[in-house]
Amino acid sequence: MLDACAELVDEVGYEGLTTTLLAERAEVAIGSVYQFFPDKRAIVQALTLRTLESYLQRLDERFASDDLSDWWDGVDAAIDEYITMHRTVPGFRTLHFGDVVDLHLLDEQRDNNGVIADQLARLLTERFGLDGVPDFRFHLEVAVEAADALIKLAFRRRPEGDERVQVEARALVREYLHRQLDARTEAAQPG
């Protein structure tokens, strides 16, 4: 049902999605849809959570490789995976991480990009030992918001993503994080 939901969201958008359409596409009885999901919001929330898990799994794999030599490589990997998912994962281009439906779809207490920033902070801290860097989580959330907005712009401009906008998104995030974090990272290092 989630695969059918992803396809439909790309075809008709969130507003056009109905449980009836979903049941038809998934080739299940409408009662089966309601057995698992009370409404279309719950279906989209489940799809969004699955997408978040996939994104984090992709990043875990990238972070586990030896190709990342510093924290910026991890940020770059996060941007790469976000762009790749826009291009390849059904439903992602429309839903992203659920903000089209509800800014608090992933977590009632934090907005969706805040959840993403928390997960990125965890991964970056584990991989690059960034604990103790002052305001790290805050600056990462600002960077996530900026990157998200610019990547959405790139895909509104061109179906495959406007490369010029993507380059600018990377440059903006890189410059911002370097300016905010490099001095703090050095200050937090022992010795």
Side-chain angles (χ1 to χ4, degrees):
M1 281 190 268
L2 294 182
D3 291 338
C5 180
E7 292 171 5
L8 283 169
V9 164
D10 279 344
E11 292 171 21
V12 301
Y14 176 71
E15 294 303 320
L17 178 68
T18 65
T19 53
T20 303
L21 275 175
L22 177 65
E24 290 172 4
R25 177 65 59 92
E27 298 178 352
V28 299
I30 191 74
S32 295
V33 173
Y34 287 115
Q35 179 182 359
F36 296 100
F37 306 105
D39 54 27
K40 77 176 185 178
R41 182 186 187 281
I43 298 164
V44 170
Q45 184 175 33
L47 176 61
T48 302
L49 289 169
R50 182 178 82 170
T51 303
L52 174 61
E53 289 172 13
S54 174
Y55 177 70
L56 294 173
Q57 181 180 6
R58 289 170 177 232
L59 285 181
D60 277 336
E61 291 167 7
R62 297 269 310 259
F63 279 42
S65 77
D66 291 331
D67 297 341
L68 307 178
S69 60
D70 62 34
W71 66 266
W72 169 250
D73 293 330
V75 172
D76 200 34
I79 293 170
D80 287 345
E81 290 302 329
Y82 190 69
I83 290 170
T84 298
M85 289 181 78
H86 265 78
R87 291 181 177 143
T88 62
V89 175
F92 188 76
R93 182 182 221 155
T94 303
L95 297 174
H96 310 285
F97 286 116
D99 50 318
V100 173
V101 178
D102 182 348
L103 287 175
H104 295 253
L105 190 65
L106 295 172
D107 184 305
E108 291 180 16
Q109 305 303 314
R110 300 171 294 165
D111 67 34
N112 300 331
N113 279 343
V115 172
I116 301 302
D118 285 346
Q119 294 299 322
L120 288 175
R122 178 186 59 79
L123 289 170
L124 289 166
T125 298
E126 288 171 3
R127 176 68 162 83
F128 300 105
L130 298 175
D131 349 24
V133 176
D135 296 323
F136 174 62
R137 165 58 180 73
F138 170 77
H139 294 298
L140 194 57
E141 186 171 7
V142 170
V144 165
E145 287 290 341
D148 181 47
L150 288 170
I151 292 168
K152 286 176 184 173
L153 172 63
F155 282 90
R156 282 195 314 267
R157 293 182 86 180
R158 294 208 170 134
E160 71 283 359
D162 186 323
E163 189 63 35
R164 289 178 54 206
V165 175
Q166 291 175 44
V167 167
E168 292 301 315
R170 287 179 194 281
L172 184 138
V173 169
R174 179 184 296 243
E175 178 61 30
Y176 172 75
L177 286 176
H178 275 300
R179 186 168 40 92
Q180 296 300 327
L181 298 180
D182 275 349
R184 289 173 175 87
T185 302
E186 290 171 13
Q189 298 297 321

